[in-house]
Amino acid sequence: KTAAFGLPILQQIDPGGRLQAICMVPTRELAVQVTSELQRLAEFSGLHIVPVYGGQKVATQLHQLGRKPHFVVGTPGRVLDFMQRGSLVVADLKFVVLDEVDRMLDIGFRDDIRSILGKIPTPRQTIFVSATIDDEIKQLARKYMTDPAEINVSRDHMTVDEVDQSYVPVERHDKFRLLRAIMQ
């Protein structure tokens, strides 16, 4: 899932620019996981990706933000905190991802999400990733997105006959190396 939204964003980030992408997630564990995957995908790109989340020293994260990241992954509370401090500057953001937006709303990040999205300039590409899309998520999409499109990958029908499909059995530890080899 991280590669699905991360690869297209990573390809469009200018390595000479400032912060251009932010991904908000509901938990610190997911922030660490998404950051790790994005760093692996961007390994030779020169892009700097930083996690920000509660439960870690603010000074450590402020130091990381001072190193001019291109992409930040964080929990809404910590993202909003750093925005209010002026240490997370969103003026050049081109991409905003809300990963597991349904969970973030369930655990009470509604106001933080609305506040953050309201402070990020447009135009930008905003991506909501969610296991469910209820009325509240649709309302957020209408308010903070321009002409949103829904992509549902859990439909109960088979792919079209024109698509050639194959699979490659691979050991868990070789998955990323194989993905890289196939893409190259």
Side-chain angles (χ1 to χ4, degrees):
K1 177 178 69 171
T2 302
F5 66 76
L7 283 171
I9 292 172
L10 292 170
Q11 288 179 328
Q12 296 179 68
I13 291 178
D14 175 8
R18 298 188 302 181
L19 179 64
Q20 297 161 60
I22 191 164
C23 176
M24 288 182 282
V25 296
T27 65
R28 69 184 75 159
E29 294 80 13
L30 190 55
V32 170
Q33 178 185 342
V34 169
T35 301
S36 175
E37 287 304 308
L38 289 171
Q39 287 171 337
R40 284 179 16 148
L41 293 169
E43 185 176 1
F44 301 107
S45 67
L47 299 178
H48 185 52
I49 303 162
V50 171
V52 295
Y53 52 87
Q56 186 182 35
K57 291 183 180 181
V58 170
T60 302
Q61 293 179 359
L62 285 171
H63 175 73
Q64 288 294 319
L65 290 174
R67 295 183 56 220
K68 309 255 188 276
H70 300 96
F71 202 138
V72 166
V73 179
T75 53
R78 188 53 62 100
V79 167
L80 185 58
D81 177 28
F82 286 145
M83 286 174 67
Q84 290 169 340
R85 292 172 187 251
S87 52
L88 185 61
V89 180
V90 297
D92 294 337
L93 278 182
K94 296 188 265 184
F95 306 98
V96 177
V97 179
L98 277 75
D99 192 4
E100 297 192 13
V101 67
D102 53 343
R103 284 196 55 212
M104 284 191 282
L105 295 175
D106 286 344
I107 60 177
F109 283 125
R110 282 173 185 77
D111 294 338
D112 289 351
I113 289 170
R114 287 185 178 106
S115 181
I116 291 165
L117 291 175
K119 292 176 169 117
I120 297 174
T122 55
R124 64 169 186 263
Q125 182 176 15
T126 305
I127 302 167
F128 287 3
V129 180
S130 182
T132 60
I133 300 180
D134 61 17
D135 289 340
E136 186 174 14
I137 293 172
K138 288 178 183 178
Q139 183 182 17
L140 271 177
R142 283 191 299 272
K143 184 169 183 177
Y144 296 105
M145 297 173 135
T146 304
D147 196 22
E150 180 180 340
I151 301 171
N152 186 338
V153 296
S154 64
R155 293 194 175 107
D156 294 329
H157 60 79
M158 299 299 290
T159 56
V160 293
D161 292 333
E162 294 84 34
V163 175
D164 291 328
Q165 297 186 40
S166 59
Y167 70 94
V168 178
V170 63
E171 296 293 328
R172 186 175 206 51
H173 64 276
D174 280 335
K175 286 169 68 174
F176 188 76
R177 189 170 58 87
L178 179 61
L179 174 65
R180 183 182 289 158
I182 289 170
M183 290 175 69
Q184 287 173 336

